[in-house]
């Protein structure tokens, strides 16, 4: 009986770990997307500032 309880507990712990890893991966992807968007907008602003006005 003790082994069944320990096994169920370990399974529960590993499920929690898996969920935390999944959330951390999603957070990292979101941070990467945000960073890429900031870089893109900065590059666009810089290229607009460096272009002579169109007549």
């Amino acid at each position: 009986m003790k082994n069944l309880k320990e096994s169920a507990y370990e399974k529960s712990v590993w499920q929690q770990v898996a969920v935390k890893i999944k959330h951390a991966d999603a957070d990292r992807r979101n941070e990467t997307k945000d960073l890429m968007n900031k870089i893109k907008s900065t590059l666009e602003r810089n290229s607009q500032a460096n272009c002579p006005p169109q007549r």
Side-chain angles (χ1 to χ4, degrees), residues 25-39:
D25 286 344
D27 289 344
R28 191 190 71 241
R29 281 192 302 274
N30 288 338
E31 288 174 2
T32 302
K33 280 183 189 177
D34 290 344
L35 179 60
M36 293 302 289
N37 287 337
K38 286 178 184 178
I39 291 171

Side-chain angles (χ1 to χ4, degrees), residues 14-53:
W14 282 115
Q15 286 175 338
Q16 291 173 13
V17 168
V19 168
K20 288 184 180 187
I21 290 171
K22 189 176 182 180
H23 288 167
D25 286 344
D27 289 344
R28 191 190 71 241
R29 281 192 302 274
N30 288 338
E31 288 174 2
T32 302
K33 280 183 189 177
D34 290 344
L35 179 60
M36 293 302 289
N37 287 337
K38 286 178 184 178
I39 291 171
K40 183 179 176 183
S41 64
T42 300
L43 290 174
E44 287 173 353
R45 274 197 314 271
N46 287 346
S47 68
Q48 289 172 356
N50 292 334
C51 290

